[in-house]
């Protein structure tokens, strides 16, 4: 086989391997740069207070939402309520509508059922401290003003 044919096969084989690998590397690099400033609406939500309601024993979460979005919009926050053992008691949804960029809004979300061991259920003052519910932000949706929902 002539020497030029061997060189041609080696170069062609190398290109067949290196071009796809280079394409993947370029794609990963470009997508990483495109998503550098990607942020999630959950970063704007904090649980200000989580405690059982004295009358019903249901867990109540007070949420604070500070908008860092680029546009005015509505935040829909789902909170998961957990009892003292970490078992889910239920979920509740709160909404902060038309929150301007940089503004802070508040909402209160109640759990659907009393947390086991809460003061209203067990009746003891020390039990309320020991069995305080835990409120976790489960999901946050953001819909900019003027956008259509799903």
């Amino acid at each position: 086989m002539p020497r030029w044919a061997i060189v041609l096969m080696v170069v062609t084989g190398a290109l067949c391997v290196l071009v796809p690998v280079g394409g993947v590397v370029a794609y990963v690099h470009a997508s990483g740069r495109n998503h550098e400033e990607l942020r999630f609406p959950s970063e704007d939500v904090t649980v200000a207070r989580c405690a059982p309601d004295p009358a019903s024993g249901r867990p109540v979460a007070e949420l604070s939402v500070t908008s860092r979005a680029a546009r005015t919009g509505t935040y829909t926050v789902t909170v998961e309520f957990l009892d003292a053992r970490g078992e889910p008691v239920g979920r509740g949804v709160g909404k902060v509508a038309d929150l301007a960029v940089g503004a802070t809004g508040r909402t209160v979300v109640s759990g659907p059922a009393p947390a086991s061991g809460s003061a209203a259920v067990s009746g003891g003052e020390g039990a309320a401290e020991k069995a305080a519910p835990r409120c976790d932000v489960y999901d946050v949706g953001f819909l900019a003003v003027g956008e259509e929902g799903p």
Side-chain angles (χ1 to χ4, degrees), residues 61-96:
E62 294 177 14
L63 305 174
S64 176
V65 181
T66 302
S67 178
R68 292 181 200 87
R71 296 174 54 183
T72 297
T74 298
Y75 285 83
T76 304
V77 183
T78 303
V79 177
E80 183 170 55
F81 298 98
L82 306 165
D83 64 13
R85 295 183 312 269
E87 298 294 321
V89 176
R91 294 184 187 146
V93 177
K95 215 174 234 197
V96 178

Side-chain angles (χ1 to χ4, degrees), residues 13 17 33 40 47 64 83 89 130 138 146:
V17 171
R33 299 207 66 209
F40 299 97
V47 178
S64 176
D83 64 13
V89 176
K130 194 167 49 173
Y138 183 79

Side-chain angles (χ1 to χ4, degrees), residues 25-113:
V25 168
Y27 173 78
V28 168
H29 176 71
S31 62
R33 299 207 66 209
N34 288 339
H35 296 103
E36 280 177 348
E37 296 182 26
L38 180 69
R39 42 177 318 283
F40 299 97
S42 59
E43 296 172 7
D44 296 348
V45 179
T46 56
V47 178
R49 183 173 180 268
C50 181
D53 179 57
S56 68
R58 295 181 344 175
V60 177
E62 294 177 14
L63 305 174
S64 176
V65 181
T66 302
S67 178
R68 292 181 200 87
R71 296 174 54 183
T72 297
T74 298
Y75 285 83
T76 304
V77 183
T78 303
V79 177
E80 183 170 55
F81 298 98
L82 306 165
D83 64 13
R85 295 183 312 269
E87 298 294 321
V89 176
R91 294 184 187 146
V93 177
K95 215 174 234 197
V96 178
D98 297 330
L99 192 62
V101 177
T104 299
R106 297 182 80 74
T107 187
V108 176
V109 180
S110 296

